């Protein structure tokens, strides 16, 4: 394999991130502290300012805390699209509740909104829409379907930045909370990390307590120098989900750069859309006019009339030095969800059918025009 291989994903890191992390380490405050507080404030302002932001050490932790703060528990049902990463469903199990998997829209691969109405029961307490690849779910429509009493917790792992139904994902205009991921491959990264945003002060307050052992105040306050600060009270058996300051320092720089990084992803998506439009593929769905796509993922579907199938395409791209991936293997095809929920492929006709055809092309903001061109040329050679 040549050493000019194009990876599927790569974090976009500059000297500014390295300097910020170095500064945070040199400060001596290597757990959660002032950088984390500043990152939360800047993140809340970034997504619209009407929310509080709570930093956590992963989106999985954030989804767990959001469900916990909403009081989800045994006997409750939480609606989850089958087309997602397993974290979206596993957090429901953390709470002892039952994930109710449903099919997706065959065009957007996002949760099938009409199917949400079909599975609502008296036990339904929440729904977790996923903005797949950075293409927004229409939350205004979802809110109209579920009504005011069912919680909407957005899995916004792919959605920084996404505008849907005219609103920035994370501003929580129609949802109870949104949870972002800063995992290595996501649109901004802190290595590992995540952020909850919410307009509900009760959710934010509970998440802050539960992310740090159920202690009733933050460690940052505890080390302030007024005399009574040694005292703290543990009010719940909480978790250890706080973000560290070196990670937050990196996140602040990435957030600052996020508009520019998004503009680059949009350019790359345009190049792919233009170069691949005559091939036997289905191109990714586009958002309605006025909304935007984060382009975390660029998901192609290889048509049945193409000279190779999806697996053949992935192998041929690898031979040409281009990394690809598949997002996602639907949850109903994984052993744990299939067996524990008694699921059959025919319950998810769209996801089952589309899964055979999907492949994600390399997409990262540090990708050059030349690299994008080489990805497109390789795809064109394989598919014509
Ligand atoms: C990456 C991802 C997560 C989990 O994010 P972590 O920060 O790694 O916990 C959750 N949901 C989806 C859809 C993801 O892609």
């Amino acid at each position: 394999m040549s050493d000019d291989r194009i990876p599927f994903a790569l974090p976009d890191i500059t000297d500014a991130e390295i300097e910020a992390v170095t500064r945070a380490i040199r400060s001596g405050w290597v757990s959660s502290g002032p950088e984390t507080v500043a990152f939360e404030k800047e993140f809340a302002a970034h997504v619209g300012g009407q929310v509080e932001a709570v930093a956590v050490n992963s989106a999985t932790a954030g989804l767990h805390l959001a469900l916990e703060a909403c009081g989800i528990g045994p006997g409750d049902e939480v609606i989850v699209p089958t087309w997602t990463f397993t974290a979206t469903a596993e957090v429901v199990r953390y709470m002892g509740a039952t994930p109710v998997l449903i099919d997706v829209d065959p065009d957007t691969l996002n949760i099938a909104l009409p199917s949400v109405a079909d599975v609502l029961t008296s036990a339904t307490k929440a729904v977790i829409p996923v903005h797949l690849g950075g293409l927004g779910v229409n939350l205004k429509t979802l809110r109209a379907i579920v009504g005011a009493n069912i919680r909407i917790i957005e899995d916004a792992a792919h959605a920084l930045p996404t505008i849907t139904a005219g609103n920035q994902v994370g501003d929580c205009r129609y949802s109870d909370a949104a949870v972002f991921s800063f995992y290595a491959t996501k649109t901004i990264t802190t290595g590992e990390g995540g952020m909850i945003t919410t307009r509900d002060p009760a959710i934010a307050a509970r998440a802050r307590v539960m992310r740090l052992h159920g202690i009733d105040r933050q460690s940052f306050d505890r080390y302030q120098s007024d005399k009574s600060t040694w005292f703290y009270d543990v009010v719940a058996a909480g978790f250890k989900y706080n973000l560290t300051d070196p990670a937050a320092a990196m996140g602040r720089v990435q957030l600052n750069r996020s508009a520019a990084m998004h503009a680059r992803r949009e350019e790359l998506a345009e190049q792919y859309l233009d170069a691949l439009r005559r091939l036997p593929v289905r191109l990714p769905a586009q958002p309605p006019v006025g909304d935007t796509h984060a382009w975390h993922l660029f998901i192609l579907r290889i048509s049945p009339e193409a000279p190779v199938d999806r697996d053949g395409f992935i192998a041929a791209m690898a031979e040409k030095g281009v990394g690809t991936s598949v997002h996602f293997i639907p949850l109903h095809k994984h052993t744990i969800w299939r067996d524990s929920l008694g699921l059959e492929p025919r319950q998810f006709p769209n996801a089952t059918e589309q899964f055979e055809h999907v492949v994600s092309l390399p997409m990262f903001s540090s990708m050059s025009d030349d690299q994008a061109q080489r990805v497109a040329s390789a795809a064109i050679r394989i598919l014509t």
Side-chain angles (χ1 to χ4, degrees):
M1 198 67 56
S2 57
D3 49 5
D4 59 351
R5 272 193 105 253
I6 300 170
F8 167 69
L10 207 61
D12 184 344
I13 293 163
T14 64
D15 286 346
E17 282 85 348
I18 293 166
E19 282 158 21
V21 171
T22 305
R23 257 198 316 276
I25 295 169
R26 286 195 204 283
S27 78
W29 204 313
V30 294
S31 183
S32 302
E35 290 286 345
T36 305
V37 172
F39 187 31
E40 290 179 336
K41 291 217 165 79
E42 289 162 9
F43 198 92
H46 187 87
V47 295
Q50 301 203 43
V51 294
E52 270 188 77
V54 180
V56 286
N57 59 10
S58 73
T60 307
L63 289 166
H64 185 191
L65 291 177
L67 289 175
E68 201 277 340
C70 290
I72 306 302
D76 293 342
E77 294 177 356
V78 178
I79 301 169
V80 172
T82 188
W83 201 293
T84 185
F85 184 56
T86 192
T88 319
E90 80 194 27
V91 293
V92 176
R93 276 286 166 79
Y94 291 179
M95 299 312 304
T98 304
V100 175
L101 299 189
I102 65 170
D103 205 1
V104 294
D105 179 277
D107 187 35
T108 63
L109 305 176
N110 275 333
I111 189 166
L113 292 175
S115 305
V116 173
D118 296 341
V119 297
L120 289 175
T121 71
S122 57
T124 308
K125 290 289 155 50
V127 51
I128 312 182
V130 180
H131 304 291
L132 190 87
L135 180 66
V137 173
N138 189 324
L139 300 170
K140 189 177 182 184
T141 305
L142 180 60
R143 178 55 82 192
I145 292 168
V146 301
N149 293 331
I150 289 175
R151 303 294 198 147
I152 298 177
I153 297 169
E154 299 169 65
D155 182 333
H158 302 174
L160 189 79
T162 293
I163 295 175
T164 179
N167 288 274
Q168 183 82 47
V169 169
D171 83 352
C172 301
R173 167 121 186 244
Y174 302 107
S175 70
D176 294 277
V179 182
F180 295 86
S181 174
F182 310 136
Y183 177 65
T185 60
K186 302 286 160 73
T187 54
I188 76 168
T189 183
T190 60
E192 301 281 358
M195 192 74 79
I196 306 167
T197 61
T198 179
R199 292 190 185 196
D200 184 342
I203 292 178
R206 178 69 178 180
R208 287 186 199 287
V209 167
M210 294 306 281
R211 79 174 159 184
L212 201 68
H213 304 295
I215 294 173
D216 73 341
R217 42 201 278 218
Q218 300 303 298
S219 62
F220 182 67
D221 302 332
R222 243 192 312 137
Y223 295 104
Q224 302 288 313
S225 56
D226 68 285
K227 56 184 182 319
S228 61
T229 52
W230 58 268
F231 186 79
Y232 64 90
D233 187 24
V234 177
V235 297
F239 308 104
K240 186 67 201 291
Y241 283 167
N242 56 307
L243 189 71
T244 69
D245 260 26
M250 181 173 174
R252 294 178 69 194
V253 177
Q254 290 263 295
L255 186 65
N256 250 316
R257 296 181 53 228
S258 65
M261 293 196 289
H262 177 237
R264 181 60 187 154
R265 284 178 184 269
E266 283 185 319
E267 277 173 13
L268 293 166
E270 283 303 323
Q271 290 180 23
Y272 281 159
L273 289 168
D274 189 50
L276 307 177
R277 68 183 191 283
R278 289 186 214 289
L279 296 180
V281 296
R282 184 173 187 168
L283 294 168
Q286 305 267 6
V289 175
D291 289 351
T292 65
H293 196 310
W295 294 112
H296 165 55
L297 299 174
F298 191 97
I299 301 176
L300 272 188
R301 274 162 285 176
I302 308 296
S303 302
E305 64 271 22
V308 291
D309 64 7
R310 185 269 313 274
D311 294 353
F313 179 76
I314 288 174
M317 289 291 272
E319 249 169 56
K320 294 182 186 301
V322 179
T324 56
S325 192
V326 171
H327 298 90
F328 287 95
I329 302 166
L331 297 185
H332 70 267
K333 295 179 75 83
H334 289 288
T335 303
I336 174 62
W337 305 117
R338 183 188 60 226
D339 290 359
S340 70
L341 298 171
L343 303 174
E344 312 255 8
R346 60 176 168 74
Q347 295 170 257
F348 311 92
N350 295 335
T352 301
E353 158 66 16
Q354 295 303 320
F355 168 66
E356 302 300 326
H357 304 291
V358 292
V359 56
S360 303
L361 296 186
M363 177 54 88
F364 46 93
S365 46
S366 59
M367 191 161 153
S368 68
D369 286 347
D370 175 63
Q371 285 178 312
Q373 211 46 60
R374 281 170 47 216
V375 173
S377 305
I380 290 166
R381 262 175 288 144
I382 295 162
L383 292 169
T384 46

